[in-house]
Amino acid sequence: MSAAGRDGKAGQKAMRGRLLEPRFAAHIDGRFRMVIAGAAGGKVRSAGHLLGQGGLLSGLYATQRDDYPVTVMAGHSVCEVVLDTMPIGYTGIVRPNVLAW
């Protein structure tokens, strides 16, 4: 049985995402890469999400990639955010512009 069949939502339309219209001007040239690191449960992923959302609201392309262990509230948490004026094909970060921890 599919996941949709188990929760009783088979045949229903998928939820639509929220469109973020640009409201601000971006002042970056080219690609901006930021790595946010901290302890699990330290809102690292939330901070990355807000950074990416700010980029989208500024008319930029944005990606977010997270790394954290399967244990809850234990271990590390790393979030990589890429912002660019052009579409982003590769989301990995070899050398960040900013590292926050």
Side-chain angles (χ1 to χ4, degrees), residues 38-85:
K43 300 296 182 188
V44 170
R45 294 175 59 215
S46 296
H49 176 79
L50 290 172
L51 177 63
Q53 194 171 41
L56 293 174
L57 289 170
S58 299
L60 299 172
Y61 293 88
T63 65
Q64 176 178 343
R65 189 167 78 168
D66 302 318
D67 178 39
Y68 52 92
V70 295
T71 56
V72 178
M73 300 295 288
H76 71 280
S77 185
V78 178
C79 177
E80 298 178 355
V81 178
V82 178
L83 302 175
D84 203 333
T85 56

Side-chain angles (χ1 to χ4, degrees), residues 9 11-12 17 21 23-24 39 70 76 78 89 91 94:
K9 297 187 182 198
Q12 292 183 12
E21 294 288 339
R23 299 181 191 176
F24 310 101
V70 295
H76 71 280
V78 178
T91 63
V94 176

Side-chain angles (χ1 to χ4, degrees), residues 11 14 16 34 39 78 100:
R16 292 179 41 166
M34 182 170 186
V78 178

